[in-house]
Amino acid sequence: MDDRSWMYRDSPQGLRRMGYCNGVQGFINFATSIPRNFTGDGIRCPYRKCQNKKYLHPDVVTMHLLQKGFMENYQCWYAHGEVFVSKRRMEERVVGSTSSASNVHEAANDNTNPYRNMVMDAMRMNQDNISQCPIVEEEPNADAARFFDLLKYSDEPLWDGCTNHSKLSVVAQVFTIKSDHGLSEVEYDKIIEWARSILPEGNRLKENFYDVKSMMKPLGLGYQKIDMCLNFCMLYYLENAEMTECMTCGHSRYKPRTGRGKTLVAYKKLRYFPITSRL
């Protein structure tokens, strides 16, 4: 990407005020040039307290940035439509041009990130959760905050300098391999442990399957657990949800309780992945 040292070197209180003001205007021009950045009349505000979680009018965003500055580590404007591109490739694109905002926009459109698109599709699918961020000084709901984090993961390189994998792309691909080959969680964790040992120090690969599930959950890829007969005769679902024995073979639904445990544990469970949301 173009040199954005002005974002932190030319701070609002710094000596190079004009360079900072011009940079802020370039950011606003870029952010407002992409229609999908808007919710109502507002765009996400990268002011250090708003953290891209509040939608405010561009004029208000401008004042926040001029008075207080950007949030930390936001040289890549991932929440405003920019995709991660290696510094070398961006420099090749911007040589000889005078408009940094238009360069960034062109580079973003020229470097399609399928994992960012996946996140954006999930955001549209869950629009009821995401679009409720009002254009006022109010924190977004938890679902929206998690989506913003996931959007960042789609553009964040696996390690500093990596140009072909993002934090999200690796997790998604390894997650797919686990599903395709029926790997257990223990086997998955062993592979990840080995992979982390050969990756550069400071890599951002999630350490275990539990962390991966937590990271992927905002995409809406969850499932519903439904008790079923040990002999595959029936599901304890809908009108049969309260039954405790199979209507066909008579096998008990639950395992015998041990000790003082009060939790009923079914012999077998079906994991149902709703198809409607995925379509």
Side-chain angles (χ1 to χ4, degrees), residues 144-186:
R146 284 192 290 268
F147 270 118
F148 297 147
D149 288 339
L150 200 56
L151 196 63
K152 175 182 177 180
Y153 297 153
S154 69
D155 291 328
E156 186 177 7
L158 185 59
W159 66 83
D160 293 338
C162 178
T163 60
N164 57 345
H165 283 295
S166 69
K167 189 174 181 178
L168 179 62
S169 72
V170 171
V171 166
Q173 292 179 44
V174 179
F175 200 86
T176 300
I177 292 173
K178 176 189 181 303
S179 299
D180 288 347
H181 297 279
L183 300 179
S184 68
E185 294 185 18
V186 174

Side-chain angles (χ1 to χ4, degrees), residues 57-266:
H57 191 277
D59 292 343
V60 179
V61 174
T62 300
M63 291 303 299
H64 278 191
L65 297 178
L66 289 177
Q67 293 174 0
K68 300 295 183 180
F70 285 83
M71 59 189 279
E72 294 182 1
N73 301 319
Y74 195 55
Q75 288 91 342
C76 177
W77 300 336
Y78 55 83
H80 294 86
E82 184 178 37
V83 297
F84 173 78
V85 184
S86 69
K87 184 176 181 180
R88 179 180 61 82
R89 290 177 63 190
M90 278 298 275
E91 287 175 346
E92 291 173 355
R93 288 187 173 99
V94 302
V95 167
S97 178
T98 58
S99 173
S100 63
S102 62
N103 291 330
V104 173
H105 195 181
E106 179 181 356
N109 290 335
D110 188 46
N111 189 71
T112 302
N113 182 338
Y115 295 94
R116 166 176 272 273
N117 294 340
M118 178 175 68
V119 175
M120 296 305 295
D121 287 341
M123 290 177 71
R124 283 190 288 270
M125 184 177 68
N126 292 272
Q127 191 65 32
D128 290 341
N129 289 335
I130 301 304
S131 64
Q132 297 304 315
C133 297
I135 311 171
V136 294
E137 295 284 344
E138 182 176 324
E139 291 295 329
N141 60 46
D143 288 335
R146 284 192 290 268
F147 270 118
F148 297 147
D149 288 339
L150 200 56
L151 196 63
K152 175 182 177 180
Y153 297 153
S154 69
D155 291 328
E156 186 177 7
L158 185 59
W159 66 83
D160 293 338
C162 178
T163 60
N164 57 345
H165 283 295
S166 69
K167 189 174 181 178
L168 179 62
S169 72
V170 171
V171 166
Q173 292 179 44
V174 179
F175 200 86
T176 300
I177 292 173
K178 176 189 181 303
S179 299
D180 288 347
H181 297 279
L183 300 179
S184 68
E185 294 185 18
V186 174
E187 292 169 330
Y188 178 94
D189 289 347
K190 287 292 185 181
I191 293 175
I192 294 300
E193 181 181 357
W194 169 78
R196 285 175 58 85
S197 70
I198 63 175
L199 289 174
E201 185 176 353
N203 70 81
R204 301 177 179 91
L205 181 62
K206 288 291 186 179
E207 295 184 6
N208 53 56
F209 186 68
Y210 177 83
D211 290 341
V212 168
K213 287 196 298 183
S214 299
M215 177 178 172
M216 299 293 285
K217 187 176 181 180
L219 284 174
L221 302 179
Y223 55 84
Q224 179 182 357
K225 292 182 180 180
I226 303 174
D227 293 351
M228 65 183 299
C229 174
L230 180 63
N231 298 316
F232 303 96
C233 300
M234 63 170 288
L235 298 177
Y236 296 98
Y237 187 61
L238 296 179
E239 66 273 11
N240 301 323
E242 301 301 323
M243 296 183 63
T244 58
E245 293 182 356
C246 176
M247 65 174 64
T248 300
C249 68
H251 196 285
S252 174
R253 173 179 180 176
Y254 299 109
K255 298 178 181 179
R257 292 182 180 179
T258 58
R260 297 182 179 180
K262 296 182 179 180
T263 302
L264 293 172
V265 179

Side-chain angles (χ1 to χ4, degrees), residues 20-70:
Y20 181 81
C21 292
N22 291 338
V24 169
Q25 188 58 55
F27 165 77
I28 295 296
N29 291 342
F30 168 69
T32 55
S33 70
I34 304 177
R36 69 170 181 266
N37 283 341
F38 283 88
T39 292
D41 294 329
I43 60 174
R44 296 182 189 125
C45 179
Y47 161 50
R48 61 189 61 185
K49 287 189 176 180
C50 295
Q51 295 280 321
N52 282 327
K53 297 176 182 178
K54 297 178 182 177
Y55 282 80
L56 303 172
H57 191 277
D59 292 343
V60 179
V61 174
T62 300
M63 291 303 299
H64 278 191
L65 297 178
L66 289 177
Q67 293 174 0
K68 300 295 183 180
F70 285 83

